[in-house]
Amino acid sequence: MKRFLGVLVMLVLLLAGLVVGGAYAFDDRIRSTVEDRVAVELQRSVPFATRPTVRIEGEPLALHLVTREFPSVNVRAREMPVQAAEAITIPLYDVDFTLAGVRYETDAVHAASLTGGGWLEYSDLAAVAGVRIQPTGDGRLALERDVEFLGIAFTGRLVGRAALDRAMQTISLTDTELDLAGVAIPPDATQALVDAILQPIPVALPYGLQLSALGPGEQGLDVVVDATDVTFPTR
């Protein structure tokens, strides 16, 4: 009897080893299939302009598929639509999001947290704000707009640092310097003119994502994005 039980235990351990070994052996094939499927579903539902790249963490993946829970998922895409004003949508480029504490459901991907970023092109922001925008090379931005003040037409040039109002999710400038037609305006007289040249630019990310930081880059504003308890529909 003891010999029989010993053989039975050995068989159970061997089968368990084969199951686990098989899970690891086919892990790459399973992972590729699942990642492709999630990418297709996210492209359609988010929507991403092109098919994103999805990388699912967790080994062996087959065991995570049983529970439908994964340590993290990385999603990269060329662009994602962002609402910047009423009825105006602009792209967020080079999207790179990492989702942690992920649960894959029948019609959605849910994550406990999300971190990542991308960038917003200056020309897109300029079109929304109705100004001309360009980086100055010293970490600031220059905005130009043709304005009328006290009945006189001027070209206003506003230079300052990009600033994020995180509560309102709007982009503006701080530490500003202003000149009109080449004439520097004293700081204590600029606020009304600043308001005439630039209104805060709203940026509404989908699915509860939030801008948390930003800074000027060569092509546009580099932005940091985060969120908690976020859900991406897949249907």
Side-chain angles (χ1 to χ4, degrees):
M1 185 67 177
K2 289 183 179 180
R3 183 179 178 182
F4 171 76
L5 291 175
V7 171
L8 182 61
V9 169
M10 288 296 295
L11 286 173
V12 170
L13 291 175
L14 178 60
L15 287 172
L18 288 172
V19 170
V20 174
Y24 277 99
F26 290 99
D27 189 74
D28 288 343
R29 185 180 303 176
I30 296 171
R31 188 182 306 276
S32 178
T33 301
V34 174
E35 289 172 346
D36 286 346
R37 178 180 174 184
V38 173
V40 169
E41 292 176 345
L42 287 177
Q43 180 184 357
R44 181 179 62 249
S45 61
V46 170
F48 290 116
T50 58
R51 185 172 171 178
T53 299
V54 175
R55 178 62 182 171
I56 300 174
E57 300 296 332
E59 294 183 356
L61 188 64
L63 298 183
H64 288 283
L65 287 173
V66 174
T67 62
R68 290 178 171 250
E69 295 182 350
F70 308 90
S72 68
V73 175
N74 179 254
V75 179
R76 297 184 180 184
R78 171 55 184 156
E79 60 183 81
M80 181 181 78
V82 172
Q83 187 172 344
E86 187 175 354
I88 299 178
T89 300
I90 64 175
L92 176 66
Y93 289 106
D94 294 336
V95 173
D96 188 343
F97 294 155
T98 297
L99 294 74
V102 178
R103 185 174 69 255
Y104 185 70
E105 300 173 347
T106 303
D107 56 358
V109 175
H110 178 81
S113 65
L114 177 149
T115 56
W119 58 276
L120 300 166
E121 193 166 23
Y122 290 130
S123 60
D124 292 330
L125 294 172
V128 174
V131 298
R132 299 178 290 275
I133 302 176
Q134 61 182 4
T136 61
D138 61 357
R140 299 187 298 170
L141 298 178
L143 282 66
E144 290 186 352
R145 182 176 184 179
D146 299 325
V147 297
E148 185 175 300
F149 189 70
L150 299 177
I152 304 174
F154 295 97
T155 295
R157 187 172 192 269
L158 183 65
V159 178
R161 299 189 181 280
L164 171 68
D165 185 329
R166 185 161 183 175
M168 298 300 296
Q169 289 291 282
T170 57
I171 299 171
S172 188
L173 291 185
T174 188
D175 300 328
T176 54
E177 299 174 2
L178 176 67
D179 72 56
L180 292 177
V183 178
I185 306 299
D188 57 356
T190 62
Q191 191 57 53
L193 296 173
V194 169
D195 293 341
I197 294 174
L198 176 66
Q199 296 296 318
I201 303 171
V203 177
L205 297 174
Y207 309 116
L209 309 185
Q210 297 275 304
L211 295 181
S212 58
L214 53 79
E218 292 184 4
Q219 303 177 79
L221 280 181
D222 297 324
V223 298
V224 177
V225 176
D226 61 22
T228 58
D229 193 24
V230 61
T231 298
F232 287 99
T234 57
R235 290 187 181 178

